[in-house]
Amino acid sequence: MKRFVICSLVFIFVSCAESKTTTPAETAKVVAESFCHGDKATLKKHTTAEGYANLSSIQNMFAQDADSDSEFAIVDEAMEGEVAWVKYSTAYDPKPGVFKLVQEDGRWKVTHNGPRDKGPF
């Protein structure tokens, strides 16, 4: 009986510890806020290697106070096959931004949006 209880508790903890699959919009919000607040660890976790290199190179110019409210809002979303596009606005920039997201290891991650990438917006 004792073994059964211990195994049940271990199973419950393992099942609760699984990472939650986020939507492209949720991932975009995490990336925008970590970018603006200078949180490189979170930024790296939610971007591809190419996306992280691109964003981290300019992050210091835009870093805000970690306690400031980003007022993140989704303006538009679109899916094109395996690619998602999220148009968003923040309090830090009057012009809406666009993130290109791809799935990597089963999770949506922001990647580099090159000049030849023609998104839906």
Side-chain angles (χ1 to χ4, degrees):
M1 182 68 173
K2 197 179 217 181
R3 247 186 234 166
F4 177 73
V5 171
I6 291 173
C7 289
S8 297
L9 288 174
V10 169
F11 177 74
I12 289 171
F13 287 123
V14 170
S15 65
C16 292
E18 289 181 21
S19 62
K20 177 184 148 193
T21 303
T22 57
T23 65
E26 291 169 334
T27 300
K29 180 177 182 175
V30 170
V31 169
E33 289 179 347
S34 62
F35 175 81
C36 292
H37 294 151
D39 184 355
K40 289 187 183 247
T42 302
L43 184 66
K44 188 172 189 173
K45 182 179 176 184
H46 296 283
T47 56
T48 62
E50 188 178 45
Y52 178 74
N54 185 41
L55 291 172
S56 66
S57 67
I58 59 172
Q59 186 176 31
N60 292 336
M61 293 186 291
F62 296 98
Q64 301 290 324
D65 180 26
D67 295 327
S68 63
D69 184 17
S70 68
E71 297 178 26
F72 181 87
I74 300 294
V75 176
D76 204 357
E77 287 182 85
M79 296 282 287
E80 292 181 352
E82 300 289 322
V83 177
W85 298 87
V86 176
K87 187 174 188 177
Y88 65 92
S89 66
T90 65
Y92 309 125
D93 192 358
K95 183 180 172 190
V98 176
F99 282 139
K100 175 183 175 183
L101 294 96
V102 295
Q103 281 202 336
E104 187 176 275
D105 299 327
R107 299 179 67 198
W108 286 104
K109 293 189 174 190
V110 171
T111 190
H112 177 66
N113 187 4
R116 294 185 183 195
D117 287 332
K118 298 294 181 196
F121 319 118

